Each structure stands twice: as C-alpha cells, then as structure tokens.
Amino acid sequence: ESMADPTGEYTFKNTGVVVNKTADGQIQQLMSYEGAATGFPVVLGSLIFTMPLSEAAANSGSCSWAGRGVLDDGTLAAGLAEGTWERIGNELRANVSLVHEVSNGQKIRSEGVLDFKGGTFNGTMYAIE
C-alpha cells in the first residue's frame, strides 16, 4: 500500500469548546469531539490550538490532538498527534493534517476538515509504514 491509499475515515461531532490561558501566558482553544473512526468504533478527543495572543488572528498554524478510543476488539486505546491547520478562505472551516501515534503501536496520518459552524470534524486516515 502506498501513502496515497486511504485506510479509513473518521466522523466526529463537536461536544464543546474551552478557551484557556496556559501557564506561559498563551491562549489555548480546546475543541472536544466524539464519534467513530475506522478500527475505532468509539472515539473521544480534543483538537488543541495554542498560540501567543499576538497571533490570534492567524489563518494557519500548528495544532495537537489528544484522544481516547475503543478498538474493534473492545480494547481501550489512546492517541496523541501533532500537525497543522489552515483556514479555508474566509469560512469558519479549516483543513487539518495530523500525524497520530496510537498506544497500540499504530501510526496514522489524517487529513480532515474542521467545520466550526456545522460542529463537525470529518476526514480520511492513512497508514504510516
């Protein structure tokens, strides 16, 4: 399988947003989601954006993901990811690209669209060999 062949997809619904001040004085937006992904029938996670106040108007940047899930066999799992986001034009939507490290040893790349107004975060998964 090449990098270009999708191995799955995910569909998440937003369940809340927390805006926070970090210990080092940055602003942090934490968007929580729940849904499902291929191989993970239950997923709970947060997309995390952290930036200095002076960069609050930026239309792109880095982001993180922290998630908990259940695998197809019922095993509990967790994952952490790092990546980037880029706003789509003037819309309240963004393309989000992440590289995930899962507690069961899997490495996954995901490409998705965060829709702030629609409250969704949906996309495609790719295996990283």
Side-chain angles (χ1 to χ4, degrees):
E1 262 189 72
S2 74
M3 270 292 271
D5 296 328
T7 51
E9 55 187 30
Y10 62 93
T11 53
F12 299 154
K13 189 87 185 133
N14 182 252
T15 57
V17 180
V18 173
V19 180
N20 185 30
K21 180 184 170 188
T22 64
D24 62 353
Q26 297 195 86
I27 190 151
Q28 184 174 76
Q29 179 176 323
L30 189 144
M31 303 182 67
S32 52
Y33 291 94
E34 61 181 51
T38 305
F40 302 84
V42 177
V43 176
L44 301 172
S46 297
L47 203 50
I48 306 156
F49 306 87
T50 308
M51 69 202 76
L53 194 59
S54 60
E55 289 171 26
N59 286 317
S60 64
S62 60
C63 57
S64 304
W65 168 266
R68 292 278 302 172
V70 177
L71 303 174
D72 282 336
D73 66 1
T75 307
L76 297 175
L80 294 172
E82 295 297 328
T84 57
W85 66 277
E86 185 167 353
R87 190 171 175 184
I88 300 169
N90 222 16
E91 301 174 42
L92 291 180
R93 298 194 309 147
N95 288 311
V96 178
S97 178
L98 292 162
V99 174
H100 303 256
E101 210 164 309
V102 187
S103 54
N104 67 352
Q106 275 182 275
K107 278 189 166 44
I108 299 166
R109 182 172 63 90
S110 68
E111 301 286 343
V113 175
L114 178 167
D115 185 330
F116 191 82
K117 262 177 127 165
T120 56
F121 180 33
N122 301 332
T124 308
M125 297 154 62
Y126 303 85
I128 298 175
E129 302 310 326

